[in-house]
Amino acid sequence: MKRNYFAALLGFSLILSGCSASPSASSTETPVFQTEATLIQLSDDQILINAQPADQTGAVQLSHDIVYYQAGQGADYGEGGAEDEHSAEEAQAHTVITIREPGTYRVSGKLSAGQIAIDLGEDAKDDPDAVVNLILDQAEITCTVAPAIIVYHAYECAGEEALSTVDTRTAGFNLIVADGTENYVSGAYVARIYKEGTTKKLHKYDAAIESKVSLNLSGETADTGILRVKASNEGIETSMHMTINSGSWIIHSADDSLNANEDGISVITINGGTVRCDAGAGQEGDGIDSNGWIVINGGTVIAAANSVSMDSGLDSDNGILIHGGTVLASGNMFDDVDSASTQNVMVFSFAQTQNAGGKLVLSDNAGQPIAGLAAANDYTVLVYSSPQLSEQDYTLAQAETVEGEDLGGLITPVTSAVGLTALGYTKTALSRGMGMRPQGDEFPEDEGRKPGQRQEGEGPQGEMPQGEPPADEADREAGPPADQEGPKGGKPEDGRGPQNHADDSSGELNATFTVSSAIAVFSQIQVLKEE
């Protein structure tokens, strides 16, 4: 069969805004790029590149060479157990589509056993031109032995500075959802595989979508494109930074839904779009987990942690900054929202576990409902932030029914609320036992983690089979520069400074939820008893 290769010219606008922690920073400007795309048509029968069979010497190559955790290996092979193993037959049934040249690639169709891998070579990390834009255009990709999309080598735009303000506009990987399309990715993970003769890491990939470099997630030109991710472990993970600019990203995972894992460095920034994270399919998991900062400048963010573990809707080692957008985060721990946040935040800690789907209504001082809150999983801590919140008195109530625009557990605006039961709180600041995430060395760092699972802060991922992998991230000494500012998070200030906590521990219930500063925390919330 004659093989030829041609490029189809497709003009489109690619939105890649920066990820500054400051809403007014210039890096949030939206550059527009015009480019041409290589078309990848998925099918279980045949994969076409620009309507032709793939040329094994071209930019896109096909193989069955997938990295997975092999069954039947000894204890010196890796850390995985029987539940992490896969047979050679299962692995070989997968088709690996490897992108080896920079450019824009538009993917459509369905692949029921396969993977898209991006490998631009080991020198790509220092090459600003080593950038891949991957557009999902009504695509469906399933991989049962490893990540469904994985980036091994591409440009890394960021350095090792420990800053909450990071600009990823030039990142080496841009994942884009085409306007008006609904896309599906279902992926697995690869347990830690040792380098031969050592216990050092050769391969370890935790997420359905895995990137060893900073990445941007965006809609093509608007917010009408959707990606649904189903993950048997983590949802979307990066070894450095992740910026979400637009589009809809709906993730169901058995561990953290979004994760950035460079200790003290990584930043997850959300500038726009819709992000819905549900980490309730396993035994642990945060909604959004960053080993550095979480910065929310806009968009709609709904993040539900696992209901049976002590995890958070938003979990950040260095601090959480909320400057805009609408946020609903639920879990059983509370990671401090940084006092540098410029948008008001309400934190609700409940005396008893609240059931998944149970509806709450938050109303302003005029009695007008402003939001219905219905978390996806059981929880004891709820964090809510919105441009609507101002310094005034609010009431919180349970509701039998709430009607309005349901964004996936967040109902706003509310058109009606029926069957209200008022709630109150004790004037006591959050403390251990009421949902506060342990600080410092209060608890062992691996508490609640399953044996053999990634510990909090474990370094970046493994390598492709080709070539010698770089030194294991876990083996090198890491940490923020000595002259960098320390973590911005901290324990609540018990009524002093920007977080308002009343320090009266009398135990009397108060039905007025007053926002008098940027971060308002309310503890031991329960149903008001009628006098």
Side-chain angles (χ1 to χ4, degrees):
M1 178 182 296
K2 182 179 179 181
R3 296 173 182 240
N4 53 46
Y5 183 85
F6 63 93
L9 296 179
L10 293 175
F12 69 95
S13 299
L14 177 60
I15 299 178
L16 299 175
S17 59
C19 64
S20 171
S22 171
S24 60
S26 61
S27 59
T28 59
E29 295 175 358
T30 305
V32 177
F33 300 92
Q34 297 291 332
T35 187
E36 58 187 47
T38 297
L39 307 181
I40 302 176
Q41 179 66 44
L42 304 179
S43 169
D44 292 337
D45 297 326
Q46 186 180 38
I47 293 172
L48 301 178
I49 311 300
N50 290 327
Q52 298 294 320
D55 181 347
Q56 291 303 99
T57 64
V60 182
Q61 300 173 11
L62 306 183
S63 74
H64 295 280
D65 187 11
I66 193 166
V67 176
Y68 70 102
Y69 199 91
Q70 299 177 22
Q73 306 298 312
D76 59 352
Y77 175 70
E79 293 182 355
E83 69 276 11
D84 306 311
E85 296 179 349
H86 302 277
S87 68
E89 291 77 14
E90 181 185 6
Q92 288 300 309
H94 286 71
T95 299
V96 180
I97 304 167
T98 303
I99 295 172
R100 296 199 179 277
E101 293 182 8
T104 297
Y105 299 82
R106 184 180 291 269
V107 182
S108 59
K110 179 178 180 180
L111 185 62
S112 59
Q115 179 188 75
I116 295 179
I118 296 168
D119 185 3
L120 305 186
E122 294 182 0
D123 296 333
K125 66 178 181 179
D126 298 318
D127 181 1
D129 294 327
V131 177
V132 167
N133 307 315
L134 189 68
I135 304 172
L136 301 181
D137 188 350
Q138 210 63 48
E140 184 173 345
I141 308 165
T142 299
C143 185
T144 63
V145 301
I149 298 175
I150 186 166
V151 182
Y152 291 106
H153 296 108
Y155 176 57
E156 177 50 67
C157 65
E160 293 289 327
E161 298 87 359
L163 299 170
S164 63
T165 303
V166 177
D167 186 351
T168 65
R169 283 177 294 179
T170 60
F173 181 51
N174 300 296
L175 184 61
I176 304 148
V177 285
D179 295 342
T181 66
E182 190 159 347
N183 304 274
Y184 299 86
V185 167
S186 178
Y189 62 97
V190 178
R192 185 184 181 106
I193 300 173
Y194 299 144
K195 294 179 181 179
E196 186 174 357
T198 75
T199 58
K200 296 179 180 179
K201 180 180 63 182
L202 175 62
H203 300 292
K204 186 175 186 294
Y205 313 113
D206 291 331
I209 299 175
E210 184 86 26
S211 178
K212 293 185 63 183
V213 301
S214 297
L215 76 158
N216 296 309
L217 308 177
S218 303
E220 190 171 8
T221 62
D223 281 335
T224 58
I226 301 171
L227 174 61
R228 297 182 184 274
V229 178
K230 181 179 179 182
S232 60
N233 193 41
E234 295 185 348
I236 304 176
E237 179 176 75
T238 176
S239 297
M240 189 57 82
H241 304 302
M242 180 188 307
T243 301
I244 301 176
N245 296 305
S246 55
S248 291
W249 311 87
I250 302 170
I251 302 130
H252 294 268
S253 60
D255 205 321
D256 304 333
S257 292
L258 296 180
N259 187 37
N261 63 19
E262 180 72 358
D263 285 354
I265 303 292
S266 287
V267 184
I268 295 177
T269 305
I270 301 173
N271 292 322
T274 297
V275 180
R276 286 167 47 188
C277 298
D278 182 350
Q283 295 301 309
E284 63 178 0
D286 299 301
I288 301 176
D289 182 0
S290 173
N291 289 2
W293 287 269
I294 295 173
V295 180
I296 301 174
N297 296 320
T300 299
V301 180
I302 303 170
N306 192 281
S307 61
V308 298
S309 61
M310 298 301 285
D311 284 311
S312 301
L314 302 176
D315 174 14
S316 174
D317 290 355
N318 289 12
I320 299 165
L321 293 140
I322 301 178
H323 299 305
T326 302
V327 180
L328 176 65
S330 59
N332 293 314
M333 281 286 192
F334 167 53
D335 276 33
D336 293 329
V337 177
D338 200 297
S339 60
S341 298
T342 57
Q343 179 168 283
N344 290 327
V345 180
M346 299 182 79
V347 181
F348 306 105
S349 179
F350 294 82
Q352 297 180 343
T353 298
Q354 303 298 296
N355 293 330
K359 295 179 175 59
L360 303 176
V361 173
L362 183 68
S363 300
D364 62 19
N365 58 9
Q368 178 64 39
I370 63 169
L373 315 176
N377 303 319
D378 295 351
Y379 65 93
T380 56
V381 176
L382 203 63
V383 177
Y384 176 68
S385 181
S386 166
Q388 290 180 279
L389 290 181
S390 61
E391 294 188 2
Q392 62 169 290
D393 293 340
Y394 294 89
T395 59
L396 185 68
Q398 295 175 342
E400 294 178 2
T401 61
V402 180
E403 295 182 358
E405 183 178 358
D406 192 343
L407 303 177
L410 175 61
I411 304 168
T412 184
V414 175
T415 57
S416 70
V418 178
L420 302 184
T421 301
L423 298 175
Y425 66 97
T426 58
K427 295 183 178 181
T428 306
L430 280 177
S431 63
R432 232 172 77 181
M434 290 190 291
M436 174 64 68
R437 179 169 300 269
Q439 305 291 322
D441 296 323
E442 292 182 64
F443 292 167
E445 63 179 9
D446 61 346
E447 180 168 318
R449 297 287 174 182
K450 296 184 286 187
Q453 291 274 326
R454 173 185 61 82
Q455 301 301 314
E456 197 72 26
E458 183 165 333
Q461 320 306 306
E463 291 289 330
M464 280 287 280
Q466 300 89 345
E468 175 65 20
D472 189 336
E473 291 284 344
D475 297 329
R476 68 182 174 88
E477 296 181 1
D483 60 347
Q484 287 291 350
E485 187 179 58
K488 293 185 177 180
K491 291 187 177 182
E493 298 180 323
D494 299 333
R496 298 178 294 276
Q499 301 190 41
N500 66 293
H501 310 267
D503 55 10
D504 176 9
S505 57
S506 64
E508 295 181 2
L509 293 179
N510 189 338
T512 303
F513 293 75
T514 300
V515 175
S516 59
S517 60
I519 303 167
V521 181
F522 308 95
S523 303
Q524 291 293 302
I525 297 172
Q526 54 196 283
V527 172
L528 284 173
K529 296 180 180 179
E530 296 183 2
E531 298 183 357

